[in-house]
Amino acid sequence: MATSAVPRWKTAITNALAEHEKATVVQLASIDPTAPVPHVRSHIFREFIIPKSKPSLPLFLTTTDIRTPKTAQIISNPHVQVAWWIEGTQEQFRISGTASAIPAPTNGLYKQFLHNVKHAVPNSAVATLKDENFDWEAKRKESFKNMSAHMKASWCRPTPGSPLEGGEEEAKKWPVRLEEPTEDADEEFKRNWETAMENFALLVVDPTDVDYVELGVIPNRRTRFWRKSDGSWDSEVIVP
């Protein structure tokens, strides 16, 4: 496969989402280094970031709160797997790769992301985007502004997974909607926006291996794809 060719697994996802645009819920698994045990949670697929010079390297993009435990897990062990079942087409994708959290540049963990970029594997999506001078902060701001007002407000809450001090009565005080403040907005509104922006982070997965199962055809099909050192993909048909 030529290094410029879009991998077939990515084309399959694009085609499936064209028919079933709401099938964007995936499961993301990471490893807790203190146990170690796997931790899995649901995420929303946002988009693929495609390097202009190498369309063969789609970068999986989702979003998170930088304060969540998964951030520390990924810093300790960046190897993750995404499981994605698309009911409408009866297809499953298991995307293995290395993950990076991308917080606001003012966040102390941003240095970790810069370290990841600096030491990215040659001919990976992250390394290629670095060479293209990709603007990560612009993408982070764009992604946040594209969220619904309800979703934006969720980044104003206390740290996810921490004890709920004050119980449900305290939770009722949390903002339920958040819009970008105007110049004449009150200070609390502006603080909420700044807090949410500081907690909001991109989470990217640079795919290295994809297991693609097609159950909507008879006989069922299963193909394993892996990224080669030149940035192209190889594949092998395996037993479903």
Side-chain angles (χ1 to χ4, degrees):
M1 184 182 293
T3 56
S4 61
V6 177
R8 187 167 70 86
W9 62 264
K10 193 271 180 183
T11 300
I13 291 174
T14 299
N15 292 341
L17 291 180
E19 296 181 25
H20 308 280
E21 61 181 14
K22 294 184 178 180
T24 54
V25 178
V26 305
Q27 310 306 315
L28 174 71
S30 58
I31 297 293
D32 182 348
T34 64
V37 295
H39 288 256
V40 64
R41 74 287 290 171
S42 297
H43 267 261
I44 301 296
F45 166 73
R46 301 298 178 186
E47 62 177 291
F48 283 111
I49 300 175
I50 311 294
K52 295 178 181 179
S53 60
K54 290 184 180 177
S56 64
L57 298 172
L59 185 69
F60 181 99
L61 174 65
T62 184
T63 55
T64 191
D65 188 313
I66 195 62
R67 301 169 296 168
T68 60
K70 80 169 77 67
T71 301
Q73 294 165 14
I74 287 171
I75 289 173
S76 175
N77 184 347
H79 297 283
V80 301
Q81 187 172 82
V82 172
W84 193 347
W85 169 251
I86 299 180
E87 177 69 23
T89 57
Q90 296 287 290
E91 293 173 301
Q92 176 182 266
F93 302 86
R94 287 192 295 162
I95 304 172
S96 300
T98 53
S100 294
I102 310 170
T106 53
N107 189 291
L109 293 177
Y110 191 75
K111 292 180 180 179
Q112 178 65 41
F113 170 63
L114 294 179
H115 173 84
N116 293 349
V117 171
K118 181 178 180 180
H119 297 281
V121 174
N123 291 314
S124 63
V126 169
T128 304
L129 290 166
K130 177 189 68 175
D131 293 341
E132 295 179 358
N133 296 312
F134 187 79
D135 192 334
W136 292 102
E137 178 59 6
K139 172 56 71 173
R140 192 183 73 91
K141 289 180 177 178
E142 173 194 309
S143 298
F144 183 74
K145 291 181 179 180
N146 286 339
M147 298 284 170
S148 67
H150 174 74
M151 280 297 297
K152 288 188 184 81
S154 69
W155 278 278
C156 292
R157 298 171 184 169
T159 301
S162 62
L164 181 56
E165 304 291 347
E168 291 187 4
E169 288 304 311
E170 183 63 25
K172 291 177 182 178
K173 301 176 184 177
W174 299 341
V176 294
R177 293 178 58 84
L178 186 62
E179 301 283 4
E180 186 168 8
T182 58
E183 290 186 5
D184 58 349
D186 63 46
E187 290 305 310
E188 181 180 4
F189 200 91
K190 292 179 180 178
R191 282 196 303 272
N192 284 341
W193 179 267
E194 292 172 359
T195 296
M197 279 295 295
E198 180 68 20
N199 293 332
F200 178 78
L202 302 179
L203 183 61
V204 297
V205 178
D206 204 341
T208 56
D209 193 289
V210 178
D211 188 324
Y212 170 38
V213 180
E214 302 168 80
L215 297 181
V217 295
I218 302 296
N220 301 154
R221 290 195 292 257
R222 183 178 180 186
T223 310
R224 180 188 166 231
F225 300 85
W226 61 93
R227 194 182 74 206
K228 300 194 295 183
S229 60
D230 65 354
S232 65
W233 290 82
D234 208 344
S235 64
E236 178 184 26
V237 177
I238 58 179
V239 179

